[in-house]
Amino acid sequence: MFMRKSAVATLLAVALLAVGCASQKEPATKAIADAESALSAIKEDAAKYVPDQLQSVEGTINSLKDSLQKGDYKAIITGAPALTASIASLKDAAEAKKAEVMAALEKAKGEWSTMSADLPKMVEAIGSRIDILGKAKKLPKNLDAAKFDAAKTGFDAMKSAMGEATAAATSGNFTEAVSKAQTVKEKGAEIMAALGMTSG
């Protein structure tokens, strides 16, 4: 009789455990679905601006999905709040980085606007000076043939870099455009000094 009662008690405990597990399955499944939905809404920006942080969050989700497959619903319910906080943190980090990049882009746009107006004048002035010196019977005393040839080679590189800067700006990459334009500006100043030209 005692054995029968004990067996019944064991069966009852197993049944209650099964009910308990079943009652945890739904919230555990929902927690993962909610996390994936929240992540989906910010994934594009996160992948672009904070990929490492995104990878960490995706790793956590995959780990909890493994727990779901194994029926370890408690691990999911326990881990869900931390995951929710991680996704919120990821969202904030992506937005902050995006704002930073956008601000840098606006700054670069302004710099490019000035450079794209000034640098072609510098290129034209140097080109004109090289033409005049190339036609002259004799180079100025502070400029020998080797120095003049180096200036001409540098001028070709300068024009090429200016073309690349313009192409970058046309495609919307103003940060790269400004970087290349800065190279043009520095090279131009170097050539002007070599050719005895004054800026301004």
Side-chain angles (χ1 to χ4, degrees):
M1 185 72 174
F2 175 74
M3 286 290 289
R4 182 178 287 182
K5 279 186 178 179
S6 178
V8 168
T10 302
L11 285 170
L12 187 59
V14 169
L16 286 170
L17 185 63
V19 170
C21 285
S23 69
Q24 284 187 325
K25 182 178 181 180
E26 192 176 328
T29 305
K30 186 176 185 300
I32 290 176
D34 288 348
E36 288 187 312
S37 176
L39 182 61
S40 177
I42 60 168
K43 192 169 182 177
E44 190 176 340
D45 279 351
K48 190 172 181 180
Y49 300 108
V50 281
D52 290 347
Q53 205 169 328
L54 171 63
Q55 198 172 8
S56 174
V57 171
E58 286 182 323
T60 302
I61 289 178
N62 288 335
S63 176
L64 292 184
K65 283 168 90 171
D66 284 343
S67 295
L68 184 65
Q69 289 287 327
K70 293 170 186 171
D72 187 1
Y73 308 126
K74 187 178 178 182
I76 299 165
I77 291 165
T78 304
L83 176 59
T84 301
S86 294
I87 293 171
S89 175
L90 177 68
K91 181 175 184 285
D92 291 344
E95 286 175 354
K97 187 66 179 175
K98 184 177 183 178
E100 183 187 315
V101 170
M102 291 297 113
L105 182 62
E106 283 306 309
K107 184 185 175 192
K109 268 187 188 179
E111 289 175 351
W112 170 252
S113 179
T114 302
M115 288 175 143
S116 64
D118 294 343
L119 289 180
K121 295 172 190 172
M122 178 190 263
V123 172
E124 189 180 343
I126 293 171
S128 176
R129 179 68 172 161
I130 287 173
D131 283 345
I132 291 167
L133 291 173
K135 290 170 186 172
K137 291 178 181 177
K138 192 177 176 184
L139 291 171
K141 62 179 179 179
N142 64 335
L143 183 68
D144 60 28
K147 209 171 177 183
F148 184 51
D149 285 342
K152 287 191 288 184
T153 302
F155 181 60
D156 288 339
M158 183 183 168
K159 286 191 293 183
S160 176
M162 190 66 208
E164 289 171 6
T166 304
T170 303
S171 67
N173 192 343
F174 292 99
T175 306
E176 185 183 343
V178 168
S179 175
K180 288 187 178 296
Q182 188 60 38
T183 302
V184 172
K185 188 178 179 181
E186 289 166 7
K187 192 69 184 171
E190 184 186 307
I191 295 168
M192 287 176 80
L195 298 178
M197 298 170 68
T198 54
S199 56

